[in-house]
Amino acid sequence: MDLLEDKYRKLEELLKECGRVLVAYSGGTDSAFLLAVAARVLADRVLAVTAVSATSTAAEVREAKELARQLGVRHLVVRSGEMQHREFIENSPLKCYYCKQLRFSHLQEIARQNKIPWVLDGSNLDDLQDYRPGLQAVKELGVRSPLREVGLTKADIRALSRQLELPTWNKPSAPCLASRIPYGEEISEEKLRRVEEAEQFLKSLGFSPVRVRHPRGEARVEIAREQFLQLTGLAETVTRQLKELGFARITLDLCGFRSGSLNEELSNYKGS
């Protein structure tokens, strides 16, 4: 038995021991894999719950619903209330902590109502290498992270997802839209929708992966460096469309696409 297979077997054993579970399910690679394995092991003793708000994209929610249907699991979509909380919209470096506190407290209540002993999330081993204050909230609330517990990395999860023929095996990471707003700048539904529409437009032109950061009225576009020339050829079209969405300026980040790039500014954030 190779190391990857061993991790997979340990995951199955862990889920069997849980008995009945609620999976916090976004539809991304990690939570989709966790849900698929849980469904294989526990059958109808699995409840998937997707928390949505203005920080979610319509495409993400639609894809999550479709995959849950294909997996044959019971799936609830619930509203998440972080946009009504000042601690979140003020956008300090702890916003993810406040968000996870709210969301997982809600999920735990749903679990209690359904007599489910365990709430699970899709955190993996690699998540410990990044700035993720939300993990502290998960730990404090007693939420389990089976993928991390058995030592699965992102690469492991993609490889196993491909073996299971999950359509999410190569799905690009899609952190919530609030991650596009620099720390200290207030999060609003208007800004989030503007970012969503801009990214959707750029994806329709063939740019992937793509992020549109939104500092001080600007659209700061992050794409793969090998697509810079393609964007240059479409500069007039892109500029016109993004200005129509309400961005005052459009710039290209010459460092290229990288996940969590706004975390590079944490040392300069005065509110931390």
Side-chain angles (χ1 to χ4, degrees):
M1 181 182 297
D2 64 21
L3 181 58
L4 188 58
E5 185 180 351
D6 182 54
K7 291 179 183 179
Y8 182 80
R9 295 304 171 206
K10 287 180 179 177
L11 177 61
E12 287 187 320
E13 292 168 7
L14 185 157
L15 291 169
K16 286 177 185 176
E17 291 171 3
C18 288
R20 300 185 72 215
V21 300
L22 183 156
V23 176
Y25 168 61
S26 67
T29 300
D30 300 334
S31 66
F33 171 71
L34 176 60
L35 181 61
V37 180
R40 284 176 168 234
V41 172
L42 300 173
D44 61 356
R45 292 174 290 164
V46 179
L47 172 62
V49 181
T50 302
V52 301
S53 73
T55 67
S56 317
T57 70
E60 289 165 356
V61 177
R62 184 171 60 250
E63 290 166 6
K65 287 180 178 178
E66 175 58 23
L67 181 56
R69 186 192 64 78
Q70 292 175 15
L71 293 173
V73 299
R74 184 182 173 207
H75 181 213
L76 299 180
V77 177
V78 299
R79 296 299 303 178
S80 178
E82 67 269 13
M83 289 297 292
Q84 282 71 56
H85 287 261
R86 174 57 54 181
E87 295 95 335
F88 179 78
I89 63 175
E90 284 181 343
N91 198 14
S92 82
L94 290 176
K95 73 172 181 292
C96 292
Y97 173 85
Y98 299 127
C99 179
K100 295 293 188 186
Q101 276 278 355
L102 290 164
R103 289 192 170 200
F104 280 99
S105 294
H106 188 187
L107 266 55
Q108 285 183 321
E109 180 57 32
I110 294 172
R112 281 191 290 270
Q113 291 170 0
N114 287 270
K115 296 181 172 57
I116 297 173
W118 294 106
V119 175
L120 312 180
D121 89 323
S123 301
N124 66 66
L125 196 62
D126 292 336
D127 291 332
L128 298 176
Q129 308 304 314
D130 195 6
Y131 176 71
R132 293 181 182 267
L135 295 180
Q136 181 61 32
V138 167
K139 180 180 178 181
E140 291 173 0
L141 291 168
V143 173
R144 295 192 69 172
S145 303
L147 306 182
R148 194 169 75 238
E149 289 183 39
V150 301
L152 285 165
T153 64
K154 190 74 168 187
D156 291 337
I157 294 162
R158 290 194 184 281
L160 289 168
S161 295
R162 189 173 189 180
Q163 290 179 26
L164 295 179
E165 299 183 344
L166 294 175
T168 50
W169 76 269
N170 64 344
K171 186 175 183 177
S173 297
C176 87
L177 292 171
S179 67
R180 316 306 198 264
I181 315 299
Y183 295 117
E185 295 188 32
E186 187 169 293
I187 298 167
S188 69
E189 292 196 18
E190 180 185 8
K191 290 178 183 178
L192 297 175
R193 293 285 72 77
R194 191 178 294 142
V195 167
E196 178 182 10
E197 292 180 27
E199 290 187 356
Q200 190 59 42
F201 172 70
L202 288 165
K203 288 175 183 176
S204 74
L205 295 178
F207 295 100
S208 181
V210 62
R211 295 285 186 273
V212 176
R213 311 295 181 187
H214 193 2
R216 298 172 299 281
E218 174 185 325
R220 193 176 78 204
V221 179
E222 292 181 15
I223 56 174
R225 288 184 175 181
E226 55 267 26
Q227 290 192 303
F228 279 8
L229 188 59
Q230 180 184 347
L231 182 63
T232 300
L234 295 168
E236 185 175 343
T237 300
V238 170
T239 299
R240 181 174 61 251
Q241 180 63 31
L242 268 57
K243 284 197 171 185
E244 285 181 4
L245 292 176
F247 292 100
R249 299 173 303 283
I250 294 85
T251 62
L252 173 63
D253 190 326
L254 294 182
C255 291
F257 171 84
R258 59 228 186 269
S259 293
S261 66
L262 291 183
N263 287 340
E264 299 166 4
E265 302 173 13
L266 277 174
S267 61
N268 299 322
Y269 177 72
K270 303 304 182 183
S272 61

